[in-house]
Amino acid sequence: MSTAVSEEQTIDASNNSNNNNNNQQTTSSTYAMSQWSELLTKDEHFFQTYRGRYQCSKLLYGSNAAERLPLHCRWIMWSRFLQLPSFVSEELPVNYYDTLLNSERASFTEIDNETSKNVKQILLDIPRTCNSGEISPEAHQQMFHVLYALVLFQPKVGYCQGMSYICAHVLSVMESEEDAFLMMVALMNKYDMKSLFQPGFPKLKSLSYVFENLFQQLDPKLYNHLQQLGISPDLYIPRWYLSMFCTQFPQVFVLRVWDLFLLYGWVVIHQVALSLITFHRKELLECADIEAAMNIVQSEIPKSVSDPTVRHKVFYTCTSKFREREMKRLETEYELILTKAAEEERVEDSDNTDNSENSDNSDNSENLTEPTEPTEPTENHTEPTEPTEPTEEQQQVTCSEA
């Protein structure tokens, strides 16, 4: 009998505990949503201040309430994080998007070969993007318009695979395709994303260098284990970074990543990537071959963040990974490496040029002129001159001698 009472008391206590937890979560969520409502009344300059960033970071890192933020509210927040109204008014003419798409340059009969290649690649990538569930097939035309306008806006960058996933994600939040285009342009400029897609991928190489060094510092055991298995960051970082996590991860996770990225920049992308890898540290260390480890990286990690608890832990531990100044230091270090390599290449090219010139001069000195046939000697004689009359002194001398 006493055992039965004890079990009932245990069940009641457990139920009360669960109810208390649920009530606490509800209260916390209600408070967080009220904080978001207050933030929506602020202008774009507020979010560039320490106070504005601090208030946002508390909601974005430590609470899942941001996931319930309606899309139209998120669009307002994103535009203010990006300072989009100021950017558009300062950098772009009025109705620039419509003007660009209706210009002669946008006509398919006027585009050059490079733009034509970009158009073909866009048309190939859009169905693949839509099949991933990012956008509905009905949005194909909108997506093509935005990407094509972006190609026309930055012809030197053109189109690169990965842009389609970012565009699809932006379109899922923006209220119109023009808003999506303006945000894409702002991203390319404010966060230097155009360098992410330029030929040679200079920004991606810099980001990969920073991530690899941060990973090695943060968890050398896991880093060395993956290296021994043959898994370097080059096998997964390009896919994550070029698409900004839009290709494999659930949208609810991607939205929170972007909330933080638009507020803080690239430091968030590194923090999230490191948090994802180290969260699955135990499973990765148990892997004995590359296939098992790559399955975790490519499949299990994206699936795991579908769980709200996992998402909360991933974002909650992001800021403990490293500080932004360390990222800046590594970025500067990478730039110095590039500068040194370029200088060494310049000196080597200069030495090669000097050696080539010296070789040419040596060849010229060896190529002496051929000797000419000897000519017959000529007699050295002076032409006779006409006699001149003697002077008075000469005449006197002559008379005295006589």
Side-chain angles (χ1 to χ4, degrees):
M1 185 68 179
S2 60
T3 304
V5 172
S6 176
E7 289 178 354
E8 289 176 1
Q9 290 176 345
T10 302
I11 293 172
D12 290 340
S14 177
N15 290 335
N16 290 334
S17 176
N18 290 333
N19 290 333
N20 290 334
N21 289 335
N22 291 334
N23 291 334
Q24 290 177 358
Q25 290 177 358
T26 302
T27 303
S28 175
S29 177
T30 302
Y31 174 76
M33 292 305 295
S34 67
Q35 291 292 299
W36 276 116
S37 300
E38 181 183 348
L39 287 174
L40 287 170
T41 64
K42 306 294 185 181
D43 62 14
E44 61 184 45
H45 303 292
F46 174 77
F47 299 102
Q48 310 308 313
T49 65
Y50 175 81
R51 181 186 173 192
R53 288 173 179 268
Y54 177 71
Q55 289 189 17
C56 287
S57 65
K58 287 196 301 181
L59 294 171
L60 294 173
Y61 280 112
S63 170
N64 284 346
E67 297 175 2
R68 293 187 293 276
L69 194 65
L71 288 180
H72 72 277
C73 294
R74 179 168 265 111
W75 153 231
I76 296 173
M77 297 300 296
W78 283 12
S79 65
R80 291 175 184 172
F81 289 168
L82 272 170
Q83 294 183 287
L84 194 59
S86 297
F87 172 80
V88 172
S89 62
E90 293 172 5
E91 302 293 334
L92 299 176
V94 178
N95 297 326
Y96 179 76
Y97 178 69
D98 292 334
T99 304
L100 185 63
L101 286 180
N102 293 324
S103 65
E104 291 184 3
R105 196 154 58 95
S107 172
F108 289 113
T109 58
E110 300 293 334
I111 61 175
D112 54 30
N113 291 333
E114 191 63 32
T115 305
S116 178
K117 292 178 183 177
N118 288 324
V119 168
K120 292 178 182 178
Q121 191 61 52
I122 290 171
L123 292 174
L124 285 173
D125 287 349
I126 287 177
R128 303 169 187 168
T129 305
C130 295
N131 289 337
S132 69
E134 293 296 329
I135 62 172
S136 62
E138 291 76 14
H140 282 201
Q141 197 67 22
Q142 279 188 324
M143 193 171 167
F144 174 78
H145 287 161
V146 173
L147 291 172
Y148 184 43
L150 196 63
V151 169
L152 296 174
F153 176 76
Q154 48 182 28
K156 292 184 179 180
V157 178
Y159 171 79
C160 177
Q161 288 181 326
M163 286 184 181
S164 60
Y165 291 95
I166 294 175
C167 180
H169 180 64
V170 171
L171 275 169
S172 70
V173 177
M174 300 297 101
E175 295 184 340
S176 68
E177 63 179 66
E178 181 178 8
D179 290 334
F181 169 76
L182 295 175
M183 182 173 177
M184 292 286 287
V185 171
L187 287 170
M188 296 294 166
N189 286 271
K190 183 173 181 178
Y191 296 107
D192 195 27
M193 286 183 69
K194 58 186 175 184
S195 297
L196 191 66
F197 299 107
Q198 280 179 341
F201 305 102
K203 183 71 174 180
L204 178 62
K205 292 178 180 177
S206 174
L207 293 170
S208 298
Y209 176 85
V210 172
F211 173 83
E212 185 164 5
N213 281 271
L214 289 171
F215 186 14
Q216 195 170 10
Q217 294 172 21
L218 178 68
D219 196 336
K221 183 178 180 179
L222 178 58
Y223 173 82
N224 292 330
H225 176 69
L226 293 179
Q227 289 289 111
Q228 290 173 0
L229 293 178
I231 302 177
S232 68
D234 292 338
L235 294 180
Y236 54 91
I237 286 300
R239 186 175 180 84
W240 288 1
Y241 282 31
L242 281 175
S243 67
M244 301 291 290
F245 296 101
C246 292
T247 53
Q248 299 172 290
F249 295 83
Q251 189 182 34
V252 65
F253 173 80
V254 178
L255 286 171
R256 285 192 67 180
V257 173
W258 276 63
D259 290 340
L260 292 163
F261 169 69
L262 295 176
L263 189 62
Y264 290 104
W266 288 105
V267 63
V268 170
I269 303 302
H270 291 311
Q271 288 175 337
V272 170
L274 287 167
S275 191
L276 287 169
I277 288 290
T278 55
F279 185 81
H280 294 80
R281 183 177 192 272
K282 182 179 178 181
E283 303 97 292
L284 288 169
L285 287 174
E286 291 174 352
C287 293
D289 54 67
I290 187 173
E291 289 80 10
M294 283 303 296
N295 179 62
I296 293 175
V297 172
Q298 293 182 339
S299 179
E300 297 303 319
I301 288 180
K303 288 179 182 177
S304 67
V305 291
S306 297
D307 184 345
T309 304
V310 175
R311 284 199 304 275
H312 176 73
K313 291 179 179 179
V314 166
F315 287 111
Y316 187 75
T317 59
C318 272
T319 53
S320 63
K321 300 305 177 186
F322 67 95
R323 296 299 179 221
E324 187 174 5
R325 61 176 174 270
E326 179 63 15
M327 182 192 76
K328 296 293 184 184
R329 185 191 69 79
L330 289 169
E331 287 177 344
T332 302
E333 182 178 284
Y334 181 74
E335 291 300 323
L336 290 174
I337 292 173
L338 291 183
T339 302
K340 184 179 179 180
E343 180 64 21
E344 291 176 351
E345 184 178 357
R346 187 190 66 79
V347 172
E348 184 179 352
D349 291 342
S350 178
D351 292 342
N352 291 337
T353 302
D354 292 341
N355 292 335
S356 178
E357 291 178 354
N358 293 334
S359 177
D360 292 341
N361 292 334
S362 176
D363 293 341
N364 290 337
S365 63
E366 292 176 0
N367 294 333
L368 300 176
T369 56
E370 295 182 359
T372 57
E373 296 182 359
T375 57
E376 294 182 0
T378 57
E379 295 181 359
N380 294 329
H381 64 277
T382 57
E383 294 290 336
T385 58
E386 296 181 358
T388 58
E389 295 182 357
T391 62
E392 291 182 358
E393 294 180 354
Q394 290 175 338
Q395 289 178 356
Q396 291 176 359
V397 171
T398 302
C399 290
S400 64
E401 289 178 352

